[in-house]
Amino acid sequence: MSKYSGIPVSNGVSIGKAYLLDRSKVCVVKRSLAEKEIPAEIVRLREAIQMSKDQLRDIKQRASSVAEKYAIILDTYTLLLEDDLLVNETIDNIKQDKINAEWALSRTLDKFTSLFNNINDDYLKGKRDDLDLVVHGIIKNLIGHHQESLVDIDEPVVIITHALSPSDTIIMNKAFILGMATEVGGKTSHVGIFASALGIPAVVGVPGLTQYVNSGDMVIIDGLDGEVIINPDEDTLSHYRTKQKNYLRYERKLLDNITLKSETMDGHTVQLMGNIESAHEAKAVRKYGGEGIGLYRTEFLYLGANSLPTENDLYANFKSVVQSMEPYTVVIRTLDIGADKQLQQLDHETEANPALGLRGIRLSLKKPDIFIRQLKGILRASLYGRVKILYPMITSMDEVREANHCLEQAKKELKRAQIPFDEKIPIGAMIETPSAALTVDSILNVVDFISIGTNDLIQYILAVDRINENVAHLYQPYHPSVLKILRQVFETAADKGKHVAICGEMGGDPMATFLLLGLGTVHELSMEPHSIPKVKKILRKVTLDEARKIADHALSLSTAEEVNQFITNEMRTRFPSDFDRDLAFGEKSA
């Protein structure tokens, strides 16, 4: 028996036979070319790229039912294959260095990987693995390597692989996938999103895992504690079967909370809402008892398109989401993308530090035509339900004013066209930079509400890239500086009588629910839909007075470790069936 640790990305326990998917990188040999061979080599490269496009098209056609979100991801793969930078850089390498296409493409990948390593954005940094899979697919076509497929799996298995692509997840027979584990990936990996949506336990980021597993080995995937166990002994197997059974029972019991009010024992109401990336996910928000959408990330509408979406495209998409959530509110965040992953339709300059560069609202204000088009789409959809607009990456009141100026222009254009919309649509700013948090008093003068994006806020406060393995341990949501800034923001908003939401990971972390309630007045917590029932359960068993005492004590502590230990002990004592691993999967969880 052997055990390996990784990052849990989808809760649950799976036990079954391993299916080792070969995603190892092929060996690439450098070969020098004569001048006369160069044109033919470029043709060979283009043919391999076209073959990869054809393979993606076949995958999409073979999938009998493709969720909107994964179809968009698959389209994004096609866009990577059409990326001029990727193709032209490789062709330049072939011409200038007179080398074969495989070697030239590998050099291009190395350069792009180096750029991705400097990105301080979880979602966009995850695209590094997508690029790696796409490029190695081309290389395999160049050398005639068979592209392995998951479409023919016909028995229950646990997938073990270096990386799992969106195309893999689309074509596999979900009924036969018990669990997944990969060597690469992070908390925002599409594997976690996919697995969570289907209730498949998953662990990512287990270095060297494929070296220790053979197809047919008995494997346990513990998506709760991030463990992968190979060939367990009988005692271990018995323990995890009990853990699996009791966790499933615990999950079923959580669903009892769906129809209950999301309020504390002393009557303070907190709306629990969902974060989504596609219209398809709105169904999951309702399934888990969400009371609206607190964050609609609109980036996929741009990344997954061959051209920039039109006003009508955006309007149709937003309208469908708004109507599906009626009578609840939908908060639509405007385009939040940066120079580290540019839209291929836009001219852009390479930036030395894109995480601190042209991203979020900055990009929108520099491209007002694209921004106004999106605002008009949102405004038109506001006629069909309750809609709010959220500006990302705000650092000052001036940016909000400039964004509001664009909004007024969008309203004028719609009025001229006699197109109706909600004239008083609420406007909000994301508080995810230290400058926004420290000047929130002035920002609150020009918005109707704020939404705290804890992921980026914590990273910027602590200067930590949480998916960089060298410093990830320094990413501490309970760092005293983070708690003090959150309390300051809450108090300032309360003084101004403004609505406060939290849409980052902390908002969906049941361990943090008690603490957040005690730090100040929170009106809304928005999270991945499947987190809603557990957060609601915690919420309904606390009082604000208790929560304030917890927060006050946490703020008196000096280190993140002390706060973390205090909060963990408190939550395990108060909610043993939810947080104490020794009890959560024993008889008390029933």
Side-chain angles (χ1 to χ4, degrees), residues 320-335:
S320 69
V321 174
V322 172
Q323 288 180 320
S324 70
M325 292 308 300
E326 185 66 22
Y328 298 121
T329 298
V330 175
V331 181
I332 302 176
R333 185 178 69 185
T334 59
L335 184 61

Side-chain angles (χ1 to χ4, degrees), residues 266-326:
D266 48 353
H268 175 67
T269 298
V270 180
Q271 278 188 289
L272 302 184
M273 306 173 79
N275 295 340
I276 68 169
E277 293 176 348
S278 75
H280 171 77
E281 292 177 282
K283 296 177 183 177
V285 177
R286 282 195 173 275
K287 174 184 175 183
Y288 289 106
E291 299 174 295
I293 293 169
L295 178 65
Y296 182 12
R297 306 180 182 102
T298 58
E299 290 69 58
F300 268 110
L301 299 174
Y302 293 80
L303 292 174
N306 291 317
S307 59
L308 290 173
T310 66
E311 178 188 322
N312 283 333
D313 292 334
L314 296 166
Y315 160 64
N317 183 280
F318 299 151
K319 177 184 174 183
S320 69
V321 174
V322 172
Q323 288 180 320
S324 70
M325 292 308 300
E326 185 66 22

Side-chain angles (χ1 to χ4, degrees), residues 334 361 364-365 371-372 375 379 389-391 394 396-412 425-429 442-449 498:
T334 59
I361 198 65
S364 291
L365 295 178
F371 187 39
I372 290 172
L375 291 172
L379 286 169
I389 296 175
L390 182 61
Y391 301 141
I394 293 296
S396 70
M397 178 177 67
D398 289 338
E399 286 175 332
V400 178
R401 282 177 167 166
E402 194 174 346
N404 282 342
H405 177 74
C406 291
L407 178 61
E408 289 305 311
Q409 179 61 35
K411 289 180 177 180
K412 287 179 183 178
I425 189 168
I427 304 302
S442 61
I443 291 173
L444 284 164
N445 290 331
V446 290
V447 297
D448 301 296
F449 71 98
K498 295 295 177 73

Side-chain angles (χ1 to χ4, degrees), residues 211-446:
Q211 301 173 36
Y212 314 119
V213 183
N214 295 310
S215 288
D217 284 349
M218 177 63 71
V219 175
I220 296 171
I221 304 295
D222 183 350
L224 298 158
D225 294 322
E227 302 284 356
V228 178
I229 301 165
I230 304 166
N231 293 322
D233 57 34
E234 283 302 318
D235 287 345
T236 302
L237 193 58
S238 176
H239 169 77
Y240 276 95
R241 280 176 175 154
T242 300
K243 186 172 183 176
Q244 179 186 52
K245 178 183 67 176
N246 287 319
Y247 183 76
L248 290 172
R249 185 163 52 202
Y250 167 78
E251 283 275 276
R252 286 194 295 270
K253 195 170 182 180
L254 273 181
L255 297 181
D256 293 342
N257 295 317
I258 286 177
T259 58
L260 302 178
K261 291 182 179 180
S262 55
E263 63 180 16
T264 61
M265 292 177 68
D266 48 353
H268 175 67
T269 298
V270 180
Q271 278 188 289
L272 302 184
M273 306 173 79
N275 295 340
I276 68 169
E277 293 176 348
S278 75
H280 171 77
E281 292 177 282
K283 296 177 183 177
V285 177
R286 282 195 173 275
K287 174 184 175 183
Y288 289 106
E291 299 174 295
I293 293 169
L295 178 65
Y296 182 12
R297 306 180 182 102
T298 58
E299 290 69 58
F300 268 110
L301 299 174
Y302 293 80
L303 292 174
N306 291 317
S307 59
L308 290 173
T310 66
E311 178 188 322
N312 283 333
D313 292 334
L314 296 166
Y315 160 64
N317 183 280
F318 299 151
K319 177 184 174 183
S320 69
V321 174
V322 172
Q323 288 180 320
S324 70
M325 292 308 300
E326 185 66 22
Y328 298 121
T329 298
V330 175
V331 181
I332 302 176
R333 185 178 69 185
T334 59
L335 184 61
D336 187 16
I337 196 167
D340 39 5
K341 181 64 179 76
Q342 284 291 337
L343 304 178
Q344 67 168 12
Q345 301 87 355
L346 302 181
D347 295 328
H348 64 278
E349 298 176 2
T350 301
E351 295 183 311
N353 194 341
L356 303 180
L358 190 63
R359 54 171 299 197
I361 198 65
R362 299 170 181 175
L363 178 63
S364 291
L365 295 178
K366 188 170 182 178
K367 304 287 183 181
D369 54 333
I370 295 174
F371 187 39
I372 290 172
R373 184 187 310 161
Q374 185 178 36
L375 291 172
K376 288 168 71 177
I378 297 172
L379 286 169
R380 290 171 62 185
S382 70
L383 189 66
Y384 297 90
R386 301 170 64 184
V387 179
K388 297 181 180 181
I389 296 175
L390 182 61
Y391 301 141
M393 192 65 181
I394 293 296
T395 60
S396 70
M397 178 177 67
D398 289 338
E399 286 175 332
V400 178
R401 282 177 167 166
E402 194 174 346
N404 282 342
H405 177 74
C406 291
L407 178 61
E408 289 305 311
Q409 179 61 35
K411 289 180 177 180
K412 287 179 183 178
E413 292 181 15
L414 290 179
K415 286 178 181 177
R416 280 199 298 267
Q418 297 185 330
I419 297 175
F421 59 89
D422 179 4
E423 295 269 6
K424 297 181 179 179
I425 189 168
I427 304 302
M430 282 198 74
I431 305 301
E432 52 188 337
T433 65
S435 61
L438 294 172
T439 61
V440 70
D441 55 337
S442 61
I443 291 173
L444 284 164
N445 290 331
V446 290

Side-chain angles (χ1 to χ4, degrees), residues 402-501:
E402 194 174 346
N404 282 342
H405 177 74
C406 291
L407 178 61
E408 289 305 311
Q409 179 61 35
K411 289 180 177 180
K412 287 179 183 178
E413 292 181 15
L414 290 179
K415 286 178 181 177
R416 280 199 298 267
Q418 297 185 330
I419 297 175
F421 59 89
D422 179 4
E423 295 269 6
K424 297 181 179 179
I425 189 168
I427 304 302
M430 282 198 74
I431 305 301
E432 52 188 337
T433 65
S435 61
L438 294 172
T439 61
V440 70
D441 55 337
S442 61
I443 291 173
L444 284 164
N445 290 331
V446 290
V447 297
D448 301 296
F449 71 98
I450 56 172
S451 188
I452 303 173
T454 54
N455 299 2
D456 273 342
L457 181 60
I458 294 168
Q459 291 190 124
Y460 284 128
I461 290 173
L462 302 180
V464 170
D465 175 2
R466 65 180 182 150
I467 59 174
N468 180 329
E469 61 184 18
N470 296 312
V471 296
H473 64 286
L474 299 175
Y475 180 89
Q476 297 285 354
Y478 299 142
H479 193 284
S481 63
V482 174
L483 303 188
K484 288 175 181 178
I485 285 181
L486 287 176
R487 168 158 281 188
Q488 179 182 328
V489 171
F490 290 151
E491 289 179 344
T492 305
D495 290 342
K496 298 274 188 178
K498 295 295 177 73
H499 183 101
V500 179

